[in-house]
């Protein structure tokens, strides 16, 4: 079964410093990976996805992620953190159940709270 | 291009009652998925609707059911509410086979 793990419940960084939010995955077949951000009492906002191609994926709000097949990781990064980046971040993998014809179920990690301090 | 709209935004129900949550999909999308996000957890897949039929289901009991309408909007129905059903319910629309998912802001359900 497909799964993702986010090993850190919380990441603390100072404003202006680089940030990394970690994600590892376990899949059979090609990994389709996503990052979403959630602000308090809000839905999920899409940041970026890896489907195929370049291992460095650039997304919204200056975020990027590096797909590493050998380490089965898809870490989210930003060169310079902002206080407004403080939120809950979710890594997800798409799980296609070809037996039922279902395509597009997302399996989410537990989430990592990013705290950026001024 | 309109996004995904969910209603209501907040809801309080009593244990044993039934609830219906609604979702309007993004223009151009034909698939709707529902997720339950308990406090402090990641979203969990409930089921997906495509062509007005259930097209995949997560580990949720039959008292969770849904509908999809010809305009691709969807409803999530939960019968015999339990305290553990208290959660944020998220709807996501997509185009079947594609890789873009648009989430709504969710419905916060509290069961007392």
């Amino acid at each position: 079964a497909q799964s993702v793990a986010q090993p850190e419940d919380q990441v603390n960084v100072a404003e202006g410093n680089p940030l990394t939010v970690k994600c590892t995955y376990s899949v059979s077949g090609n990994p389709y990976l996503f990052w979403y951000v959630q602000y308090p009492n809000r839905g999920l906002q899409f940041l970026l996805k890896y489907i195929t191609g370049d291992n460095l994926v650039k997304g919204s709000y200056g975020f990027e992620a590096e797909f590493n097949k050998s380490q089965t990781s898809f870490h989210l990064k930003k060169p310079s953190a902002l206080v407004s980046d403080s939120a809950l971040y979710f890594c997800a993998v798409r799980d296609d159940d070809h037996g039922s014809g279902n395509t597009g179920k997302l399996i989410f990690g537990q989430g990592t709270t990013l705290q950026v301090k001024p | 291009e309109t996004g995904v709209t969910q209603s209501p935004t907040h809801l309080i129900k009593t244990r044993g009652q039934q609830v219906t949550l609604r979702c309007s999909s993004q223009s151009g999308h034909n698939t709707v998925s529902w997720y339950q996000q308990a406090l402090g957890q990641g979203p969990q897949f409930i089921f997906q609707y495509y062509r007005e039929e259930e097209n995949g289901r997560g580990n949720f009991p039959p008292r969770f059911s849904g509908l999809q309408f010809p305009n691709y909007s969807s409803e999530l129905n939960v019968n015999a509410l339990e305290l553990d059903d208290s959660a944020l319910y998220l709807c996501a629309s997509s185009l079947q086979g594609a890789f873009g998912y648009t989430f709504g802001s969710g419905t916060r359900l509290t069961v007392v």
Side-chain angles (χ1 to χ4, degrees):
Chain A
Q2 324 284 52
S3 66
V4 292
Q6 295 180 242
E8 302 156 316
D9 289 336
Q10 182 157 327
V11 171
N12 298 309
V13 298
E15 188 174 30
N17 283 1
L19 70 86
T20 298
V21 183
K22 296 180 179 177
C23 172
T24 58
Y25 65 88
S26 174
V27 303
S28 55
N30 295 321
Y32 304 129
L33 298 160
F34 302 79
W35 276 102
Y36 286 88
V37 61
Q38 186 175 39
Y39 293 96
N41 298 312
R42 300 296 299 277
L44 300 176
Q45 295 181 28
F46 171 77
L47 287 178
L48 50 81
K49 66 180 182 282
Y50 173 82
I51 305 302
T52 187
D54 194 352
N55 289 344
L56 184 62
V57 180
K58 294 191 181 296
S60 306
Y61 313 118
F63 284 93
E64 58 189 28
E66 186 172 8
F67 172 70
N68 188 317
K69 188 173 184 178
S70 62
Q71 296 185 5
T72 62
S73 66
F74 189 55
H75 301 332
L76 181 70
K77 300 181 179 184
K78 188 174 183 180
S80 179
L82 300 173
V83 173
S84 58
D85 292 330
S86 299
L88 183 57
Y89 290 79
F90 289 100
C91 180
V93 64
R94 177 169 132 161
D95 184 10
D96 291 342
D97 180 0
H98 295 290
S100 72
N102 168 261
T103 57
K105 174 176 71 175
L106 293 177
I107 297 173
F108 288 87
Q110 290 289 91
T112 298
T113 299
L114 174 64
Q115 188 75 26
V116 182
K117 297 184 177 179
Chain B
E1 177 180 280
T2 58
V4 174
T5 303
Q6 291 188 243
S7 63
T9 54
H10 295 85
L11 202 54
I12 300 176
K13 288 287 189 178
T14 303
R15 189 172 51 183
Q17 286 188 313
Q18 178 265 344
V19 69
T20 297
L21 310 182
R22 295 178 174 83
C23 172
S24 295
S25 61
Q26 178 171 306
S27 176
H29 286 180
N30 58 11
T31 301
V32 173
S33 301
W34 287 92
Y35 292 82
Q36 181 196 65
Q37 185 180 11
L39 199 61
Q41 303 291 319
Q44 299 288 317
F45 176 75
I46 302 174
F47 44 54
Q48 182 184 90
Y49 275 81
Y50 171 58
R51 293 182 174 174
E52 302 179 45
E53 294 189 355
E54 187 178 289
N55 182 39
R57 189 179 185 91
N59 189 26
F60 282 82
R63 59 190 186 83
F64 285 77
S65 63
L67 288 171
Q68 186 181 32
F69 300 98
N71 67 353
Y72 307 121
S73 67
S74 177
E75 288 182 353
L76 164 65
N77 299 290
V78 186
N79 293 323
L81 284 166
E82 301 177 359
L83 297 179
D84 285 349
D85 295 333
S86 296
L88 180 67
Y89 287 84
L90 296 166
C91 167
S93 75
S94 60
L95 187 62
Q96 187 68 208
F99 294 93
Y101 304 87
T102 303
F103 281 82
S105 295
T107 295
R108 173 73 62 185
L109 173 65
T110 302
V111 182
V112 297

